[in-house]
Amino acid sequence: MKKTVCELFAGVGGFRCGLNNIKTEGDYNREEKWDTVWFNQWEPAEKNTQYAHDCYIYHFGTRLDNNDKDTTNDNIEDVDKKTIPDFNLLVGGSPCQDFSSAGKKEGSMYTCNTCGHKYNPLEAHYSKRDTCPKCGSKDIEITRSSLIVQYLRVLREKQPEFAIYENVKNLVNKEFREVFNLFIEEIKEIGYVPYWQVLNSKDYGIPQNRERVIAVFIRKDIDHGFTYPKKINLLTTINDITQNTIPENYYIDEKKSNTLVQELIERGKLSEN
């Protein structure tokens, strides 16, 4: 089987680096194990501030869709999923800001700008999500985290053999567990067997306490089960990966530092002691 992948919410290429064991600057020049046939990274900001996409392009170049157009920096909502090239593996972690315990916690909600009705798109039939169930308007405002439905749309349209999904641990906690359950039920309805666990990077060789939901989806017609890797001993420390000499432009001066500290104290985020 040829190893082809589509990377959604690509950022600067985290999944791509992981799949191809890219660890250093020199690794970018090696032949990749997985051929990324298409990716998408878009920030809801001005077009000239697409820093993550710019970084991705700098390291990996771009990819064209089936119409020979570069849609890698288009809003994923506007991308015709039929134009995405075929692939074996879908990867991506939709925006976590509204699921995160440190975020606004607005979840995956849609808001109708016509009548003000709020609804969870995962509770609606996949073909009717963009229409307000109360007034029928299509003038809908979404949260970033509701882009989880775009992952489902790509999976439904392209039907790859495998898929991997990543998000913050809070998605499976009590507050948003119903959202996750609806997501998993739709994964099953599309035709996949879901496997998921909360994994911590410190258990897999990275000196960072970072818990994330890692879900693996295997198409039903080829599923033979899936086992998550066993934990490994942590042998690397922060000192092993940090730089000894840091350029001065990465520091802030004492005046700015004192101002920042004072702001944190006033907001109750830092003790005066």
Side-chain angles (χ1 to χ4, degrees), residues 200-202 206-212:
N200 196 322
S201 59
K202 71 180 183 179
I206 305 299
Q208 183 185 35
N209 185 33
R210 189 179 185 87
E211 293 181 297
R212 290 293 182 269

Side-chain angles (χ1 to χ4, degrees), residues 38-53:
W38 192 79
F39 68 92
N40 183 268
Q41 169 57 35
W42 179 81
E43 286 289 337
E46 296 297 327
K47 199 68 175 178
N48 61 354
T49 58
Q50 299 292 311
Y51 301 125
H53 182 265

